[in-house]
Amino acid sequence: MDAIILNGMPVDVAAQESLLEVAARQGVLVPTLCHHPSLSVTGRCKVCLVEADGKLVPACATRAVPGMLVETDNPRVLTARRRRVEALMRHHRGECANCRQREFCGLLELAAAVGLGAVEFREAPLSPPVQSGALLIDLGKCLGCERCVRVCREVRRVDALRHPRFTHQSHAPVRFDPACEGCGQCAVVCPTGAIVEASRHPAERRVRTVCGYCGTGCSLYLDVREGQVTGVTSDPFDPVGGGNLCVKGRFGFGFIHHPERLRRPLVRSGTGFQEVDWEEALEFAAGELGRIRDEHGGRALAGLGSARGTNEENYAFQRLLRGALGSNNVDNCARL
Ligand code: SF4
Ligand code: SF4
Ligand code: SF4
Ligand code: FES
């Protein structure tokens, strides 16, 4: 390996490594905004400035070249970064008390990282916030980092987001192409309240669980407030989905506390249904399944397992069909 001099110390660098990656490997914190580990590099925001061979350069978009002299926290670098963040804040419609992003705000984090205390925010909105499906769009809070556009194009492979030019003067709304799948991933990577889930509110606690919608098994956190599930937060370290969720996994939790949710079994009675207890329902189902098998043979029966069941539950289900009821007509709705 060849080396650069990072803050006075020689550090080996690999081919194609960026200054940001080298610094991170050495435990040197360089604040970032437009950079995201899952997205292409644009070097757009200039928040991650460092000094390389006497020039200020964005660390995320600058390759480490052997022999380079790099400073990440000299007074010139710190001043330049602070000015950059100050400028972003002056163009930002700050109303943190009511902002749905206040729990996870990347801009407030950035301000703290560059040592900004009291901040002057923009006062008037560029355009009023608008709702698009489950998302709330507030362009006055946009920092122009393009993370939303890139995640839709590069990770979701949908390319549905049409964002106005990032001039902070544009009154054009963000447009979602009809191809938009409503997955909400653009809101997840947006560092501010510019694109947020309309239903998001700070959680009192988060419970880690596995999404119950399909057999893929994405991990997620259920946001809980006053004993109710109020939202879903994805887990960027989830080895299955890497923090990506589909529209059902992210927004399909309304059924949990819905007043019409079925909580007890129903048995058909005439043209309607009758609520019964579990014992009665199971006895009825077992009796009818046994009767059909005895009268018509196992092949008269078929079973469709649920993608929302665990592997173990689906294994037990097919054993019931094959072993107890004598039918090989068994399938799973995951194949539909
Ligand atoms: S995005 Fe951050 S800085 Fe802006 S209003 Fe919301 S919490 Fe405040
Ligand atoms: S909701 Fe998903 S599909 Fe729609 S624009 Fe955002 S990232 Fe793209
Ligand atoms: S909407 Fe959010 S993610 Fe998209 S450019 Fe603006 S600040 Fe960045
Ligand atoms: S984080 Fe490097 S330029 Fe934006």
Side-chain angles (χ1 to χ4, degrees), residues 71-311:
E71 299 263 347
T72 63
D73 56 5
N74 67 25
R76 183 182 174 212
V77 166
L78 297 181
T79 304
R81 264 188 218 149
R82 195 173 310 122
R83 285 202 181 128
R84 185 68 196 116
V85 178
E86 261 171 347
L88 288 169
M89 298 195 94
R90 288 218 179 83
H91 289 95
H92 181 80
R93 185 159 74 88
E95 39 152 40
C96 307
N98 299 321
C99 183
R100 287 173 169 76
Q101 185 71 353
R102 65 185 183 276
E103 250 192 313
F104 300 104
C105 179
L107 185 53
L108 295 181
E109 248 179 53
L110 209 50
V114 300
L116 283 173
V119 199
E120 202 184 312
F121 282 121
R122 167 201 291 276
E123 285 191 355
L126 286 167
S127 51
V130 288
Q131 187 151 354
S132 172
L135 302 177
L136 195 66
I137 317 296
D138 187 348
L139 275 188
K141 295 178 184 170
C142 175
L143 304 177
C145 67
E146 272 191 309
R147 282 161 63 145
C148 54
V149 175
R150 281 178 286 150
V151 82
C152 191
R153 184 181 303 144
E154 299 169 10
V155 177
R156 302 304 302 189
R157 305 272 174 195
V158 179
D159 200 11
L161 199 52
R162 299 286 170 261
H163 205 293
R165 295 302 303 156
F166 303 112
T167 58
H168 299 294
Q169 264 87 51
S170 171
H171 286 248
V174 172
R175 279 192 303 113
F176 292 88
D177 191 271
C180 171
E181 295 172 351
C183 67
Q185 205 62 25
C186 46
V188 173
V189 296
C190 178
T192 69
I195 304 183
V196 281
E197 292 168 28
S199 58
R200 178 162 287 285
H201 292 288
E204 283 168 357
R205 66 193 172 95
R206 295 206 154 82
V207 181
R208 196 164 198 275
T209 185
V210 176
C211 179
Y213 270 109
C214 80
T216 304
C218 300
S219 293
L220 47 79
Y221 293 91
L222 292 177
D223 301 349
V224 181
R225 194 179 168 85
E226 293 173 5
Q228 304 261 309
V229 175
T230 57
V232 166
T233 299
S234 47
D235 175 5
F237 302 107
D238 171 27
V240 177
N244 293 289
L245 295 172
C246 70
V247 61
K248 289 186 294 181
R250 189 175 304 285
F251 297 114
F253 56 86
F255 73 91
I256 296 173
H257 304 293
H258 198 284
E260 288 176 18
R261 179 176 176 180
L262 294 182
R263 292 174 191 277
R264 299 188 62 203
L266 302 175
V267 167
R268 192 180 289 279
S269 155
T271 52
F273 289 97
Q274 192 192 341
E275 217 175 63
V276 296
D277 60 29
W278 278 104
E279 203 172 323
E280 188 179 340
L282 289 170
E283 258 175 38
F284 179 79
E288 284 300 292
L289 288 169
R291 181 184 64 75
I292 295 169
R293 177 201 55 198
D294 295 343
E295 288 177 11
H296 305 284
R299 292 179 68 185
L301 292 165
L304 189 62
S306 172
R308 297 180 198 182
T310 61
N311 282 343

Side-chain angles (χ1 to χ4, degrees), residues 20 30-36 41-49 57-61 145 147 150:
L20 187 67
V30 176
T32 58
L33 173 65
C34 66
H35 181 264
H36 188 286
V41 175
T42 63
R44 180 177 190 100
C45 75
K46 309 287 187 289
V47 162
C48 65
L49 290 175
V57 294
C60 68
C145 67
R147 282 161 63 145
R150 281 178 286 150

